[in-house]
Amino acid sequence: MTAIELSSYAGLAAMTLLTMNILIGLIMSVKYNPVRNWPHRRINTFKIHNWTAYIALAVAVIHPLLITFSSTAKFTLVDILYPVNAPKQPWINVLGALALYSLAFVVVTSYFRGELGRKKWKTLHFTAYGTAALFYVHGILTDPNLKDQPIDFLDGEKVYVELCLLIVIVAMVFRWRWQLRQPPPRVHRPKVRSPQPQAAPPTAPGR
């Protein structure tokens, strides 16, 4: 097995983990209870969500580094970090590099969400959807053999990436429809105290 093939498999593994991570995140966002609903087990979805992100980032880093061990690809570490002048598919690899840096941003900001505060962290966490889009586009457009061959959208690896993308899109649509069915948030207004009746002025004695 060549270094390029190992890199391709690592990319698919990172894609799988990222897809799982997004799906778990969407499940958590609708407050799905695995004890009350299927599979009727106590599952720490928060912990699984975190670890799939950590492992996905680690595998995503390994994915391009393996190419540097190929004698035919002729990629250097600079080509991995800044692939604008990469020997093969430079702009497609730029998308991959952006996806990797974006994933690192999502993971790091999530790790420090306590310091950032929930509101700020949640705003930054929406970057995860852009990260997934970059990963899927990179996976679909890249030539796994690095030979600049035309894209075969019916190739087994491409079909797998396309299927992951489709699953995430369908899940996002269901999440959006769930959000539309939720009642509007209640507005808590401060209670207005009724005015206290004033006491009648004392009357003069003898009247």
Side-chain angles (χ1 to χ4, degrees), residues 141-164:
L141 297 182
T142 190
D143 175 15
N145 298 316
L146 295 178
K147 294 181 179 179
D148 293 324
Q149 295 177 346
I151 304 171
D152 182 6
F153 294 100
L154 297 180
D155 176 74
E157 293 184 5
K158 302 300 181 185
V159 171
Y160 181 76
V161 176
E162 292 157 2
L163 182 61
C164 289

mmCIF file with all atom_site columns, all heavy atoms in Angstrom, residues 141-164:
data_model
loop_
_atom_site.group_PDB
_atom_site.id
_atom_site.type_symbol
_atom_site.label_atom_id
_atom_site.label_alt_id
_atom_site.label_comp_id
_atom_site.label_asym_id
_atom_site.label_entity_id
_atom_site.label_seq_id
_atom_site.pdbx_PDB_ins_code
_atom_site.Cartn_x
_atom_site.Cartn_y
_atom_site.Cartn_z
_atom_site.occupancy
_atom_site.B_iso_or_equiv
_atom_site.pdbx_formal_charge
_atom_site.auth_seq_id
_atom_site.auth_comp_id
_atom_site.auth_asym_id
_atom_site.auth_atom_id
_atom_site.pdbx_PDB_model_num
ATOM 1   N N   . LEU A 1 141 ? -13.833 16.839 -5.179  1.00 0.00 ? 141 LEU A N   1
ATOM 2   C CA  . LEU A 1 141 ? -13.084 17.366 -6.316  1.00 0.00 ? 141 LEU A CA  1
ATOM 3   C C   . LEU A 1 141 ? -11.672 16.822 -6.452  1.00 0.00 ? 141 LEU A C   1
ATOM 4   O O   . LEU A 1 141 ? -11.094 16.850 -7.542  1.00 0.00 ? 141 LEU A O   1
ATOM 5   C CB  . LEU A 1 141 ? -13.018 18.902 -6.229  1.00 0.00 ? 141 LEU A CB  1
ATOM 6   C CG  . LEU A 1 141 ? -14.350 19.651 -6.306  1.00 0.00 ? 141 LEU A CG  1
ATOM 7   C CD1 . LEU A 1 141 ? -14.104 21.149 -6.253  1.00 0.00 ? 141 LEU A CD1 1
ATOM 8   C CD2 . LEU A 1 141 ? -15.122 19.272 -7.563  1.00 0.00 ? 141 LEU A CD2 1
ATOM 9   N N   . THR A 1 142 ? -11.095 16.345 -5.371  1.00 0.00 ? 142 THR A N   1
ATOM 10  C CA  . THR A 1 142 ? -9.697  15.915 -5.435  1.00 0.00 ? 142 THR A CA  1
ATOM 11  C C   . THR A 1 142 ? -9.547  14.578 -6.158  1.00 0.00 ? 142 THR A C   1
ATOM 12  O O   . THR A 1 142 ? -10.447 13.725 -6.122  1.00 0.00 ? 142 THR A O   1
ATOM 13  C CB  . THR A 1 142 ? -9.102  15.809 -4.021  1.00 0.00 ? 142 THR A CB  1
ATOM 14  O OG1 . THR A 1 142 ? -7.689  15.622 -4.117  1.00 0.00 ? 142 THR A OG1 1
ATOM 15  C CG2 . THR A 1 142 ? -9.695  14.622 -3.271  1.00 0.00 ? 142 THR A CG2 1
ATOM 16  N N   . ASP A 1 143 ? -8.418  14.418 -6.810  1.00 0.00 ? 143 ASP A N   1
ATOM 17  C CA  . ASP A 1 143 ? -8.066  13.134 -7.418  1.00 0.00 ? 143 ASP A CA  1
ATOM 18  C C   . ASP A 1 143 ? -7.275  12.339 -6.390  1.00 0.00 ? 143 ASP A C   1
ATOM 19  O O   . ASP A 1 143 ? -6.153  12.731 -6.035  1.00 0.00 ? 143 ASP A O   1
ATOM 20  C CB  . ASP A 1 143 ? -7.218  13.361 -8.676  1.00 0.00 ? 143 ASP A CB  1
ATOM 21  C CG  . ASP A 1 143 ? -6.726  12.054 -9.290  1.00 0.00 ? 143 ASP A CG  1
ATOM 22  O OD1 . ASP A 1 143 ? -7.268  10.984 -8.918  1.00 0.00 ? 143 ASP A OD1 1
ATOM 23  O OD2 . ASP A 1 143 ? -5.815  12.105 -10.130 1.00 0.00 ? 143 ASP A OD2 1
ATOM 24  N N   . PRO A 1 144 ? -7.812  11.228 -5.877  1.00 0.00 ? 144 PRO A N   1
ATOM 25  C CA  . PRO A 1 144 ? -7.115  10.493 -4.811  1.00 0.00 ? 144 PRO A CA  1
ATOM 26  C C   . PRO A 1 144 ? -5.754  9.964  -5.233  1.00 0.00 ? 144 PRO A C   1
ATOM 27  O O   . PRO A 1 144 ? -4.901  9.710  -4.381  1.00 0.00 ? 144 PRO A O   1
ATOM 28  C CB  . PRO A 1 144 ? -8.087  9.346  -4.470  1.00 0.00 ? 144 PRO A CB  1
ATOM 29  C CG  . PRO A 1 144 ? -8.953  9.199  -5.677  1.00 0.00 ? 144 PRO A CG  1
ATOM 30  C CD  . PRO A 1 144 ? -9.083  10.576 -6.258  1.00 0.00 ? 144 PRO A CD  1
ATOM 31  N N   . ASN A 1 145 ? -5.519  9.809  -6.530  1.00 0.00 ? 145 ASN A N   1
ATOM 32  C CA  . ASN A 1 145 ? -4.224  9.332  -7.021  1.00 0.00 ? 145 ASN A CA  1
ATOM 33  C C   . ASN A 1 145 ? -3.259  10.462 -7.378  1.00 0.00 ? 145 ASN A C   1
ATOM 34  O O   . ASN A 1 145 ? -2.127  10.204 -7.789  1.00 0.00 ? 145 ASN A O   1
ATOM 35  C CB  . ASN A 1 145 ? -4.431  8.439  -8.248  1.00 0.00 ? 145 ASN A CB  1
ATOM 36  C CG  . ASN A 1 145 ? -5.240  7.202  -7.916  1.00 0.00 ? 145 ASN A CG  1
ATOM 37  O OD1 . ASN A 1 145 ? -5.024  6.546  -6.898  1.00 0.00 ? 145 ASN A OD1 1
ATOM 38  N ND2 . ASN A 1 145 ? -6.187  6.865  -8.773  1.00 0.00 ? 145 ASN A ND2 1
ATOM 39  N N   . LEU A 1 146 ? -3.742  11.706 -7.257  1.00 0.00 ? 146 LEU A N   1
ATOM 40  C CA  . LEU A 1 146 ? -2.922  12.887 -7.549  1.00 0.00 ? 146 LEU A CA  1
ATOM 41  C C   . LEU A 1 146 ? -2.330  12.824 -8.954  1.00 0.00 ? 146 LEU A C   1
ATOM 42  O O   . LEU A 1 146 ? -1.140  13.076 -9.165  1.00 0.00 ? 146 LEU A O   1
ATOM 43  C CB  . LEU A 1 146 ? -1.806  13.040 -6.499  1.00 0.00 ? 146 LEU A CB  1
ATOM 44  C CG  . LEU A 1 146 ? -2.260  13.326 -5.064  1.00 0.00 ? 146 LEU A CG  1
ATOM 45  C CD1 . LEU A 1 146 ? -1.062  13.409 -4.139  1.00 0.00 ? 146 LEU A CD1 1
ATOM 46  C CD2 . LEU A 1 146 ? -3.085  14.598 -4.999  1.00 0.00 ? 146 LEU A CD2 1
ATOM 47  N N   . LYS A 1 147 ? -3.176  12.490 -9.916  1.00 0.00 ? 147 LYS A N   1
ATOM 48  C CA  . LYS A 1 147 ? -2.731  12.428 -11.308 1.00 0.00 ? 147 LYS A CA  1
ATOM 49  C C   . LYS A 1 147 ? -3.520  13.384 -12.205 1.00 0.00 ? 147 LYS A C   1
ATOM 50  O O   . LYS A 1 147 ? -3.438  13.299 -13.430 1.00 0.00 ? 147 LYS A O   1
ATOM 51  C CB  . LYS A 1 147 ? -2.866  10.993 -11.836 1.00 0.00 ? 147 LYS A CB  1
ATOM 52  C CG  . LYS A 1 147 ? -1.934  10.011 -11.148 1.00 0.00 ? 147 LYS A CG  1
ATOM 53  C CD  . LYS A 1 147 ? -2.104  8.606  -11.725 1.00 0.00 ? 147 LYS A CD  1
ATOM 54  C CE  . LYS A 1 147 ? -1.159  7.622  -11.045 1.00 0.00 ? 147 LYS A CE  1
ATOM 55  N NZ  . LYS A 1 147 ? -1.310  6.234  -11.580 1.00 0.00 ? 147 LYS A NZ  1
ATOM 56  N N   . ASP A 1 148 ? -4.273  14.287 -11.585 1.00 0.00 ? 148 ASP A N   1
ATOM 57  C CA  . ASP A 1 148 ? -5.069  15.280 -12.317 1.00 0.00 ? 148 ASP A CA  1
ATOM 58  C C   . ASP A 1 148 ? -6.017  14.635 -13.322 1.00 0.00 ? 148 ASP A C   1
ATOM 59  O O   . ASP A 1 148 ? -6.249  15.160 -14.413 1.00 0.00 ? 148 ASP A O   1
ATOM 60  C CB  . ASP A 1 148 ? -4.158  16.284 -13.033 1.00 0.00 ? 148 ASP A CB  1
ATOM 61  C CG  . ASP A 1 148 ? -3.390  17.155 -12.040 1.00 0.00 ? 148 ASP A CG  1
ATOM 62  O OD1 . ASP A 1 148 ? -3.964  17.499 -10.994 1.00 0.00 ? 148 ASP A OD1 1
ATOM 63  O OD2 . ASP A 1 148 ? -2.221  17.474 -12.314 1.00 0.00 ? 148 ASP A OD2 1
ATOM 64  N N   . GLN A 1 149 ? -6.578  13.493 -12.949 1.00 0.00 ? 149 GLN A N   1
ATOM 65  C CA  . GLN A 1 149 ? -7.537  12.829 -13.817 1.00 0.00 ? 149 GLN A CA  1
ATOM 66  C C   . GLN A 1 149 ? -8.917  13.448 -13.659 1.00 0.00 ? 149 GLN A C   1
ATOM 67  O O   . GLN A 1 149 ? -9.210  14.076 -12.632 1.00 0.00 ? 149 GLN A O   1
ATOM 68  C CB  . GLN A 1 149 ? -7.587  11.337 -13.491 1.00 0.00 ? 149 GLN A CB  1
ATOM 69  C CG  . GLN A 1 149 ? -6.292  10.591 -13.770 1.00 0.00 ? 149 GLN A CG  1
ATOM 70  C CD  . GLN A 1 149 ? -6.374  9.134  -13.359 1.00 0.00 ? 149 GLN A CD  1
ATOM 71  O OE1 . GLN A 1 149 ? -7.281  8.738  -12.639 1.00 0.00 ? 149 GLN A OE1 1
ATOM 72  N NE2 . GLN A 1 149 ? -5.412  8.343  -13.821 1.00 0.00 ? 149 GLN A NE2 1
ATOM 73  N N   . PRO A 1 150 ? -9.796  13.305 -14.684 1.00 0.00 ? 150 PRO A N   1
ATOM 74  C CA  . PRO A 1 150 ? -11.167 13.830 -14.551 1.00 0.00 ? 150 PRO A CA  1
ATOM 75  C C   . PRO A 1 150 ? -11.890 13.188 -13.371 1.00 0.00 ? 150 PRO A C   1
ATOM 76  O O   . PRO A 1 150 ? -11.636 12.038 -12.998 1.00 0.00 ? 150 PRO A O   1
ATOM 77  C CB  . PRO A 1 150 ? -11.817 13.447 -15.884 1.00 0.00 ? 150 PRO A CB  1
ATOM 78  C CG  . PRO A 1 150 ? -10.680 13.247 -16.835 1.00 0.00 ? 150 PRO A CG  1
ATOM 79  C CD  . PRO A 1 150 ? -9.549  12.720 -16.017 1.00 0.00 ? 150 PRO A CD  1
ATOM 80  N N   . ILE A 1 151 ? -12.803 13.951 -12.773 1.00 0.00 ? 151 ILE A N   1
ATOM 81  C CA  . ILE A 1 151 ? -13.529 13.469 -11.601 1.00 0.00 ? 151 ILE A CA  1
ATOM 82  C C   . ILE A 1 151 ? -14.559 12.433 -12.013 1.00 0.00 ? 151 ILE A C   1
ATOM 83  O O   . ILE A 1 151 ? -15.374 12.676 -12.903 1.00 0.00 ? 151 ILE A O   1
ATOM 84  C CB  . ILE A 1 151 ? -14.220 14.641 -10.883 1.00 0.00 ? 151 ILE A CB  1
ATOM 85  C CG1 . ILE A 1 151 ? -13.201 15.716 -10.512 1.00 0.00 ? 151 ILE A CG1 1
ATOM 86  C CG2 . ILE A 1 151 ? -14.950 14.153 -9.643  1.00 0.00 ? 151 ILE A CG2 1
ATOM 87  C CD1 . ILE A 1 151 ? -13.831 16.986 -10.005 1.00 0.00 ? 151 ILE A CD1 1
ATOM 88  N N   . ASP A 1 152 ? -14.509 11.286 -11.364 1.00 0.00 ? 152 ASP A N   1
ATOM 89  C CA  . ASP A 1 152 ? -15.499 10.238 -11.568 1.00 0.00 ? 152 ASP A CA  1
ATOM 90  C C   . ASP A 1 152 ? -16.447 10.268 -10.375 1.00 0.00 ? 152 ASP A C   1
ATOM 91  O O   . ASP A 1 152 ? -16.150 9.714  -9.317  1.00 0.00 ? 152 ASP A O   1
ATOM 92  C CB  . ASP A 1 152 ? -14.817 8.875  -11.695 1.00 0.00 ? 152 ASP A CB  1
ATOM 93  C CG  . ASP A 1 152 ? -15.814 7.759  -11.956 1.00 0.00 ? 152 ASP A CG  1
ATOM 94  O OD1 . ASP A 1 152 ? -17.017 8.064  -12.148 1.00 0.00 ? 152 ASP A OD1 1
ATOM 95  O OD2 . ASP A 1 152 ? -15.405 6.578  -11.963 1.00 0.00 ? 152 ASP A OD2 1
ATOM 96  N N   . PHE A 1 153 ? -17.588 10.928 -10.549 1.00 0.00 ? 153 PHE A N   1
ATOM 97  C CA  . PHE A 1 153 ? -18.520 11.094 -9.434  1.00 0.00 ? 153 PHE A CA  1
ATOM 98  C C   . PHE A 1 153 ? -19.169 9.783  -9.004  1.00 0.00 ? 153 PHE A C   1
ATOM 99  O O   . PHE A 1 153 ? -19.813 9.734  -7.956  1.00 0.00 ? 153 PHE A O   1
ATOM 100 C CB  . PHE A 1 153 ? -19.599 12.116 -9.810  1.00 0.00 ? 153 PHE A CB  1
ATOM 101 C CG  . PHE A 1 153 ? -19.082 13.505 -9.993  1.00 0.00 ? 153 PHE A CG  1
ATOM 102 C CD1 . PHE A 1 153 ? -18.850 14.004 -11.267 1.00 0.00 ? 153 PHE A CD1 1
ATOM 103 C CD2 . PHE A 1 153 ? -18.809 14.314 -8.898  1.00 0.00 ? 153 PHE A CD2 1
ATOM 104 C CE1 . PHE A 1 153 ? -18.362 15.298 -11.448 1.00 0.00 ? 153 PHE A CE1 1
ATOM 105 C CE2 . PHE A 1 153 ? -18.322 15.603 -9.067  1.00 0.00 ? 153 PHE A CE2 1
ATOM 106 C CZ  . PHE A 1 153 ? -18.098 16.098 -10.347 1.00 0.00 ? 153 PHE A CZ  1
ATOM 107 N N   . LEU A 1 154 ? -19.026 8.726  -9.813  1.00 0.00 ? 154 LEU A N   1
ATOM 108 C CA  . LEU A 1 154 ? -19.584 7.420  -9.465  1.00 0.00 ? 154 LEU A CA  1
ATOM 109 C C   . LEU A 1 154 ? -18.534 6.469  -8.909  1.00 0.00 ? 154 LEU A C   1
ATOM 110 O O   . LEU A 1 154 ? -18.821 5.298  -8.674  1.00 0.00 ? 154 LEU A O   1
ATOM 111 C CB  . LEU A 1 154 ? -20.261 6.793  -10.696 1.00 0.00 ? 154 LEU A CB  1
ATOM 112 C CG  . LEU A 1 154 ? -21.455 7.572  -11.256 1.00 0.00 ? 154 LEU A CG  1
ATOM 113 C CD1 . LEU A 1 154 ? -22.025 6.857  -12.473 1.00 0.00 ? 154 LEU A CD1 1
ATOM 114 C CD2 . LEU A 1 154 ? -22.529 7.772  -10.190 1.00 0.00 ? 154 LEU A CD2 1
ATOM 115 N N   . ASP A 1 155 ? -17.316 6.981  -8.709  1.00 0.00 ? 155 ASP A N   1
ATOM 116 C CA  . ASP A 1 155 ? -16.273 6.176  -8.071  1.00 0.00 ? 155 ASP A CA  1
ATOM 117 C C   . ASP A 1 155 ? -16.700 5.866  -6.635  1.00 0.00 ? 155 ASP A C   1
ATOM 118 O O   . ASP A 1 155 ? -17.406 6.658  -5.989  1.00 0.00 ? 155 ASP A O   1
ATOM 119 C CB  . ASP A 1 155 ? -14.957 6.952  -8.087  1.00 0.00 ? 155 ASP A CB  1
ATOM 120 C CG  . ASP A 1 155 ? -13.858 6.209  -7.346  1.00 0.00 ? 155 ASP A CG  1
ATOM 121 O OD1 . ASP A 1 155 ? -13.352 5.208  -7.878  1.00 0.00 ? 155 ASP A OD1 1
ATOM 122 O OD2 . ASP A 1 155 ? -13.514 6.634  -6.224  1.00 0.00 ? 155 ASP A OD2 1
ATOM 123 N N   . GLY A 1 156 ? -16.261 4.716  -6.134  1.00 0.00 ? 156 GLY A N   1
ATOM 124 C CA  . GLY A 1 156 ? -16.698 4.285  -4.807  1.00 0.00 ? 156 GLY A CA  1
ATOM 125 C C   . GLY A 1 156 ? -16.413 5.308  -3.716  1.00 0.00 ? 156 GLY A C   1
ATOM 126 O O   . GLY A 1 156 ? -17.271 5.602  -2.878  1.00 0.00 ? 156 GLY A O   1
ATOM 127 N N   . GLU A 1 157 ? -15.202 5.883  -3.707  1.00 0.00 ? 157 GLU A N   1
ATOM 128 C CA  . GLU A 1 157 ? -14.848 6.860  -2.693  1.00 0.00 ? 157 GLU A CA  1
ATOM 129 C C   . GLU A 1 157 ? -15.680 8.129  -2.842  1.00 0.00 ? 157 GLU A C   1
ATOM 130 O O   . GLU A 1 157 ? -16.119 8.718  -1.846  1.00 0.00 ? 157 GLU A O   1
ATOM 131 C CB  . GLU A 1 157 ? -13.359 7.182  -2.772  1.00 0.00 ? 157 GLU A CB  1
ATOM 132 C CG  . GLU A 1 157 ? -12.453 6.016  -2.391  1.00 0.00 ? 157 GLU A CG  1
ATOM 133 C CD  . GLU A 1 157 ? -10.991 6.399  -2.390  1.00 0.00 ? 157 GLU A CD  1
ATOM 134 O OE1 . GLU A 1 157 ? -10.694 7.606  -2.593  1.00 0.00 ? 157 GLU A OE1 1
ATOM 135 O OE2 . GLU A 1 157 ? -10.136 5.524  -2.176  1.00 0.00 ? 157 GLU A OE2 1
ATOM 136 N N   . LYS A 1 158 ? -15.896 8.565  -4.098  1.00 0.00 ? 158 LYS A N   1
ATOM 137 C CA  . LYS A 1 158 ? -16.692 9.765  -4.328  1.00 0.00 ? 158 LYS A CA  1
ATOM 138 C C   . LYS A 1 158 ? -18.131 9.550  -3.889  1.00 0.00 ? 158 LYS A C   1
ATOM 139 O O   . LYS A 1 158 ? -18.746 10.440 -3.284  1.00 0.00 ? 158 LYS A O   1
ATOM 140 C CB  . LYS A 1 158 ? -16.651 10.158 -5.807  1.00 0.00 ? 158 LYS A CB  1
ATOM 141 C CG  . LYS A 1 158 ? -15.267 10.412 -6.357  1.00 0.00 ? 158 LYS A CG  1
ATOM 142 C CD  . LYS A 1 158 ? -14.564 11.537 -5.642  1.00 0.00 ? 158 LYS A CD  1
ATOM 143 C CE  . LYS A 1 158 ? -13.197 11.791 -6.233  1.00 0.00 ? 158 LYS A CE  1
ATOM 144 N NZ  . LYS A 1 158 ? -12.429 12.798 -5.477  1.00 0.00 ? 158 LYS A NZ  1
ATOM 145 N N   . VAL A 1 159 ? -18.674 8.383  -4.178  1.00 0.00 ? 159 VAL A N   1
ATOM 146 C CA  . VAL A 1 159 ? -20.053 8.084  -3.774  1.00 0.00 ? 159 VAL A CA  1
ATOM 147 C C   . VAL A 1 159 ? -20.173 8.112  -2.251  1.00 0.00 ? 159 VAL A C   1
ATOM 148 O O   . VAL A 1 159 ? -21.167 8.607  -1.699  1.00 0.00 ? 159 VAL A O   1
ATOM 149 C CB  . VAL A 1 159 ? -20.496 6.715  -4.331  1.00 0.00 ? 159 VAL A CB  1
ATOM 150 C CG1 . VAL A 1 159 ? -21.842 6.294  -3.735  1.00 0.00 ? 159 VAL A CG1 1
ATOM 151 C CG2 . VAL A 1 159 ? -20.601 6.769  -5.853  1.00 0.00 ? 159 VAL A CG2 1
ATOM 152 N N   . TYR A 1 160 ? -19.156 7.621  -1.563  1.00 0.00 ? 160 TYR A N   1
ATOM 153 C CA  . TYR A 1 160 ? -19.181 7.626  -0.094  1.00 0.00 ? 160 TYR A CA  1
ATOM 154 C C   . TYR A 1 160 ? -19.194 9.064  0.434   1.00 0.00 ? 160 TYR A C   1
ATOM 155 O O   . TYR A 1 160 ? -19.970 9.394  1.343   1.00 0.00 ? 160 TYR A O   1
ATOM 156 C CB  . TYR A 1 160 ? -17.972 6.876  0.451   1.00 0.00 ? 160 TYR A CB  1
ATOM 157 C CG  . TYR A 1 160 ? -17.940 6.832  1.956   1.00 0.00 ? 160 TYR A CG  1
ATOM 158 C CD1 . TYR A 1 160 ? -18.773 5.976  2.662   1.00 0.00 ? 160 TYR A CD1 1
ATOM 159 C CD2 . TYR A 1 160 ? -17.071 7.659  2.672   1.00 0.00 ? 160 TYR A CD2 1
ATOM 160 C CE1 . TYR A 1 160 ? -18.751 5.936  4.038   1.00 0.00 ? 160 TYR A CE1 1
ATOM 161 C CE2 . TYR A 1 160 ? -17.044 7.630  4.055   1.00 0.00 ? 160 TYR A CE2 1
ATOM 162 C CZ  . TYR A 1 160 ? -17.888 6.765  4.733   1.00 0.00 ? 160 TYR A CZ  1
ATOM 163 O OH  . TYR A 1 160 ? -17.873 6.742  6.101   1.00 0.00 ? 160 TYR A OH  1
ATOM 164 N N   . VAL A 1 161 ? -18.344 9.923  -0.130  1.00 0.00 ? 161 VAL A N   1
ATOM 165 C CA  . VAL A 1 161 ? -18.312 11.321 0.293   1.00 0.00 ? 161 VAL A CA  1
ATOM 166 C C   . VAL A 1 161 ? -19.642 12.000 -0.016  1.00 0.00 ? 161 VAL A C   1
ATOM 167 O O   . VAL A 1 161 ? -20.189 12.748 0.809   1.00 0.00 ? 161 VAL A O   1
ATOM 168 C CB  . VAL A 1 161 ? -17.150 12.069 -0.387  1.00 0.00 ? 161 VAL A CB  1
ATOM 169 C CG1 . VAL A 1 161 ? -17.175 13.548 -0.015  1.00 0.00 ? 161 VAL A CG1 1
ATOM 170 C CG2 . VAL A 1 161 ? -15.816 11.461 0.001   1.00 0.00 ? 161 VAL A CG2 1
ATOM 171 N N   . GLU A 1 162 ? -20.177 11.737 -1.189  1.00 0.00 ? 162 GLU A N   1
ATOM 172 C CA  . GLU A 1 162 ? -21.462 12.323 -1.570  1.00 0.00 ? 162 GLU A CA  1
ATOM 173 C C   . GLU A 1 162 ? -22.586 11.847 -0.657  1.00 0.00 ? 162 GLU A C   1
ATOM 174 O O   . GLU A 1 162 ? -23.498 12.620 -0.318  1.00 0.00 ? 162 GLU A O   1
ATOM 175 C CB  . GLU A 1 162 ? -21.775 11.966 -3.028  1.00 0.00 ? 162 GLU A CB  1
ATOM 176 C CG  . GLU A 1 162 ? -20.843 12.623 -4.036  1.00 0.00 ? 162 GLU A CG  1
ATOM 177 C CD  . GLU A 1 162 ? -20.781 11.888 -5.366  1.00 0.00 ? 162 GLU A CD  1
ATOM 178 O OE1 . GLU A 1 162 ? -21.505 10.867 -5.518  1.00 0.00 ? 162 GLU A OE1 1
ATOM 179 O OE2 . GLU A 1 162 ? -20.003 12.314 -6.234  1.00 0.00 ? 162 GLU A OE2 1
ATOM 180 N N   . LEU A 1 163 ? -22.512 10.581 -0.244  1.00 0.00 ? 163 LEU A N   1
ATOM 181 C CA  . LEU A 1 163 ? -23.518 10.051 0.674   1.00 0.00 ? 163 LEU A CA  1
ATOM 182 C C   . LEU A 1 163 ? -23.428 10.726 2.035   1.00 0.00 ? 163 LEU A C   1
ATOM 183 O O   . LEU A 1 163 ? -24.458 11.072 2.639   1.00 0.00 ? 163 LEU A O   1
ATOM 184 C CB  . LEU A 1 163 ? -23.347 8.532  0.817   1.00 0.00 ? 163 LEU A CB  1
ATOM 185 C CG  . LEU A 1 163 ? -24.356 7.804  1.710   1.00 0.00 ? 163 LEU A CG  1
ATOM 186 C CD1 . LEU A 1 163 ? -25.778 7.988  1.166   1.00 0.00 ? 163 LEU A CD1 1
ATOM 187 C CD2 . LEU A 1 163 ? -24.017 6.321  1.808   1.00 0.00 ? 163 LEU A CD2 1
ATOM 188 N N   . CYS A 1 164 ? -22.213 10.934 2.524   1.00 0.00 ? 164 CYS A N   1
ATOM 189 C CA  . CYS A 1 164 ? -22.032 11.646 3.800   1.00 0.00 ? 164 CYS A CA  1
ATOM 190 C C   . CYS A 1 164 ? -22.599 13.053 3.711   1.00 0.00 ? 164 CYS A C   1
ATOM 191 O O   . CYS A 1 164 ? -23.278 13.524 4.632   1.00 0.00 ? 164 CYS A O   1
ATOM 192 C CB  . CYS A 1 164 ? -20.548 11.699 4.167   1.00 0.00 ? 164 CYS A CB  1
ATOM 193 S SG  . CYS A 1 164 ? -19.830 10.121 4.661   1.00 0.00 ? 164 CYS A SG  1
#
